[in-house]
Amino acid sequence: MERYFIILVCFLYIIYAIIRIKVEQLSKKKKVLDDYLIRFGEVVRLDKIILKVLTVLEIIILFLLLLKIKFIIYFNFFTFIIFRIIGVLLSLFGLFLICISSVILNGEYSSVIEVKKEHRVVKKGPYNIRHPIYIGFIFFHFGISIILSNYIVYFV
């Protein structure tokens, strides 16, 4: 049964990756201001590196869990099936929130801090209160942590 949950998480990550790629494609259509890159270029590059390292680390952990490597399996803990199902629902809700929020932003979003030409503040839909993509990330990753029930996954 646990193997099915790991495969489900792999599919959730594939959906998450597709959403992220589409959002980045929309975002790249908006030109980043050159003076911003000159002043803050090092910070932007560091943010991108950290984001990529964390993403690769998550994928490596998934493969290690899928291959049942003893070191990773050692950190597993028991979780009732109902909590894992709740984790699936939380992850799906997080993906939904990320997707809807990204569509509403229409290219104004980037995974790192960037100032773009004709940049605008989006205040409609879920953005009239806070930044819902961050809440979506929290729901998605918290749900994944519950599904996989592994201390290393919680830490990452």
Side-chain angles (χ1 to χ4, degrees):
M1 181 63 97
E2 186 163 327
R3 190 169 198 79
Y4 294 118
F5 281 112
I6 295 171
I7 292 170
L8 176 67
V9 168
C10 290
F11 283 120
L12 289 172
Y13 264 103
I14 289 169
I15 294 167
Y16 170 67
I18 290 169
I19 292 170
R20 233 172 96 184
I21 289 168
K22 291 293 183 185
V23 167
E24 289 294 326
Q25 286 174 345
L26 275 173
S27 178
K28 286 182 181 177
K29 289 181 181 178
K30 305 263 183 173
K31 184 174 172 29
V32 177
L33 294 177
D34 292 334
D35 62 332
Y36 174 80
L37 283 177
I38 292 168
R39 287 182 291 154
F40 300 106
E42 291 176 18
V43 175
V44 171
R45 276 184 255 130
L46 182 61
D47 286 353
K48 285 185 178 182
I49 290 170
I50 290 171
L51 186 63
K52 286 179 182 176
V53 166
L54 286 174
T55 303
V56 168
L57 191 58
E58 290 171 342
I59 292 168
I60 289 171
I61 290 172
L62 267 175
F63 278 114
L64 293 176
L65 282 168
L66 203 54
L67 297 173
K68 295 192 176 210
I69 303 299
K70 287 183 182 182
F71 172 75
I72 286 286
I73 298 297
Y74 176 77
F75 292 98
N76 283 359
F77 58 89
F78 175 76
T79 304
F80 291 107
I81 191 103
I82 188 70
F83 291 121
R84 289 183 181 215
I85 292 170
I86 290 170
V88 170
L89 295 174
L90 286 173
S91 295
L92 288 172
F93 176 72
L95 281 175
F96 174 76
L97 198 54
I98 291 168
C99 186
I100 293 298
S101 302
S102 300
V103 168
I104 291 171
L105 279 178
N106 192 27
E108 296 295 333
Y109 174 79
S110 65
S111 57
V112 294
I113 300 169
E114 291 179 337
V115 177
K116 300 176 182 183
K117 227 177 205 178
E118 298 175 19
H119 209 123
R120 63 187 173 88
V121 176
V122 177
K123 294 182 181 179
K124 63 182 178 179
Y127 288 96
N128 61 2
I129 300 172
R130 290 274 183 234
H131 200 311
I133 288 181
Y134 296 146
I135 296 168
F137 287 144
I138 291 169
F139 276 110
F140 177 71
H141 290 289
F142 186 66
I144 295 295
S145 298
I146 293 171
I147 295 168
L148 295 178
S149 300
N150 184 290
Y151 290 114
I152 294 176
V153 172
Y154 273 105
F155 177 73
V156 172

